[in-house]
Amino acid sequence: MQISLVQPNFRQGGKIFSGYWLPHSIACVYTFVEEKNPDYFDVNRVIFRREAVAVASESMRNDGMVLFSCYMWNWEYNLELSKRIKEINPDAIIVFGGPQVSEFRLEEQQEEFYWVDSWIVSEGELSFEKLTNDLRTEGAVQKTYDAQRLMDLDIPSPYVNGFFDNIIKENPEIKWSTTLETNRGCPFKCSFCDWGSLTYSKIKKFPVPKVYQEIEWLGKNKIEYIFMADANFGIFPDRDMPITDYILDVQKRTGFPATVNANWHKNAKQNVIEIVKKFISNGFNRGMTLSVQSMDDDVLKVIKRKNMESSHLGDMMDLLNREGIGSYTELILPLPLETTDTWRQGLAGVLDIGQHNSIEIWFHQVLENATSNLPEHKNEYGFKTIELPDYVAGDREPDHDQHISEITEIVKATNTMPYEEFLDNWMYAWMIINFHCGGWAQVITRVWDKQGKQTYKESYDQLFEAIQNDTGIVGNKYNETRQILDTYMTTGKMTDGAYGHTLFWYANQDFNRNYDEVMEFIGNTFDTRDK
């Protein structure tokens, strides 16, 4: 049977850098089955980029099956492409899998997207094997496949077995990114994450020799960027440290990969810092992530996320700072039970533990298989959401003008944080990121906090009030940014080239162009003569 595999992602890198992700997930599923059925399938196309739908569908008009790997960055594209394929060739078997296939509302998806013949829920390898066996023996496939997780991860590697060799050979101009799995599973069950709901159970490990073989392949084939796809890299220090050393050795011998990033162990300890330190020393990584999501105990209890004790977080930050290791802290707005007071106290708490380098605030994205997407969860905490186009996006394809917006559902209000307060609290974080992490007010507020003259919370409450009352560059950029955010969160339209996450840094270029005025504003706000 002729088959095509579809796992497109956005082009990365702008005009001078042509970068794409290798379609690793769908390759794992296919090679698992292909090894046991070597003569059954004949691969026609492997779609890794967002080709024009008319061109891509025409190239697959004679396929017996098209297998799609679906996530938030390709769902709308996959729907349009699969529907077009079905129109051209009604006999083609369309199969959807991946995290965007819902465990909660699968029947609704099946009814709405009626042209999809079969849906794979959760991990794909065993389900696709069962689908293939049904097709061979019965001549038909079932509507749904939901096999158990793989217990033994000694499975074929699409890297080592040469699945990607032709793709790389045929596209010499592309700088490739890809994922590397050393284990599967996550011991945490965070409500906002589809990882916990899908894989919550004991972590399963890939054989170390197989991991090493894959790392060798990645170096040999000049893969620029590796993302460690483990949910908690560093959770097994006796295993993960040698893997780190092996990556560094391959990089030294081959010059690749150029960059490595990871989902670090959620309750990171000294051993994780040592791994991060090794990566940074080779120019591999931006730094250590301390993702607290919220600093409020009630919020953390609801979202099933227990952070480290604040004192331990402080110890971690002290160690990172002493070692000269960069770090950044992530929070999500708005989460259930978060209020204006807990949010602003929490931001001050992040500064209290010593995070002065980088704070990142993410909208609360409602992922398809996350607990936060359950109707009862949304109702209990009064979620008001909006579907935003292009919140997850990349560069447009250079060879065609067709643009299919990917849609992300975003929480913009809860029963403890009304919409107007959400806007204000987002702007409060905007102030912290620009004026503390950006340096404008950091020295003053840190000195005053250390001297006991004024806490971070007191200083930034004072600054926030001054910003809102300012009629100069600072107040104008505040009002402009808040209006852009409000427009985006009510209409989905972004203006002036800033959108979504990047809006936090949108004002800084104007602040720097008006350095003297901004510094005068800071001086007038924090009158050191009174302190």
Side-chain angles (χ1 to χ4, degrees), residues 29 67-68 70 75 95-107 109-110 116 118-131 142-150 184 194 197-199 368-369:
V29 172
L67 181 63
F68 290 80
C70 306
W75 176 246
V95 182
F96 267 30
Q100 209 69 11
V101 174
S102 180
E103 289 191 335
F104 306 138
R105 57 184 196 93
L106 182 58
E107 290 184 4
Q109 286 185 332
Q110 290 174 335
V116 179
S118 189
W119 301 74
I120 293 176
V121 182
S122 192
E123 282 189 356
E125 284 90 351
L126 292 177
S127 287
F128 187 55
E129 181 180 42
K130 179 65 166 61
L131 181 152
Q142 299 175 27
K143 192 70 173 178
T144 305
Y145 290 89
D146 188 6
Q148 65 181 14
R149 291 183 62 206
L150 280 170
R184 284 186 186 175
D194 57 7
S197 62
L198 283 170
T199 65
E368 185 63 56
N369 281 296

Side-chain angles (χ1 to χ4, degrees), residues 152-166:
D152 180 6
L153 292 182
D154 189 7
I155 60 176
S157 165
Y159 298 131
V160 177
N161 73 6
F163 178 86
F164 293 118
D165 290 358
N166 284 338

Side-chain angles (χ1 to χ4, degrees), residues 479-524:
N479 291 327
E480 179 183 329
T481 303
R482 193 181 189 280
Q483 182 57 57
I484 293 173
L485 176 66
D486 185 25
T487 300
Y488 189 47
M489 298 302 289
T490 53
T491 69
K493 296 179 180 178
M494 188 58 72
T495 58
D496 296 319
Y499 62 91
H501 197 59
T502 65
L503 186 56
F504 273 112
W505 304 282
Y506 173 70
N508 230 323
Q509 56 186 342
D510 283 336
F511 288 159
N512 283 293
R513 280 195 290 262
N514 295 273
Y515 177 87
D516 291 340
E517 184 179 346
V518 176
M519 289 304 297
E520 182 179 2
F521 167 78
I522 294 295
N524 290 337

Side-chain angles (χ1 to χ4, degrees), residues 222-279:
K222 301 181 179 181
I223 305 303
E224 292 275 345
Y225 178 89
I226 294 176
F227 187 81
M228 306 294 292
D230 305 358
N232 294 272
F233 190 65
I235 195 171
F236 304 114
D238 293 341
R239 168 187 166 94
D240 294 344
M241 186 65 78
I243 289 174
T244 299
D245 290 335
Y246 203 91
I247 293 173
L248 296 176
D249 178 66
V250 169
Q251 197 275 343
K252 184 177 180 180
R253 288 188 278 111
T254 68
F256 293 91
T259 305
V260 178
N261 207 347
N263 296 296
W264 303 109
H265 179 29
K266 304 298 183 290
N267 285 332
K269 295 180 174 63
Q270 173 69 41
N271 52 72
V272 179
I273 291 180
E274 291 302 316
I275 292 175
V276 176
K277 186 177 177 181
K278 286 190 173 188
F279 280 142

Side-chain angles (χ1 to χ4, degrees), residues 131-143:
L131 181 152
T132 302
N133 290 338
D134 285 348
L135 194 58
R136 295 187 66 173
T137 59
E138 306 295 331
V141 299
Q142 299 175 27
K143 192 70 173 178

Side-chain angles (χ1 to χ4, degrees), residues 306-326:
K306 179 58 178 173
N307 288 329
M308 295 176 285
E309 297 295 332
S310 295
S311 59
H312 183 51
L313 283 168
D315 292 341
M316 289 282 290
M317 282 303 311
D318 287 343
L319 180 57
L320 289 168
N321 291 333
R322 284 199 307 271
E323 295 283 352
I325 298 173

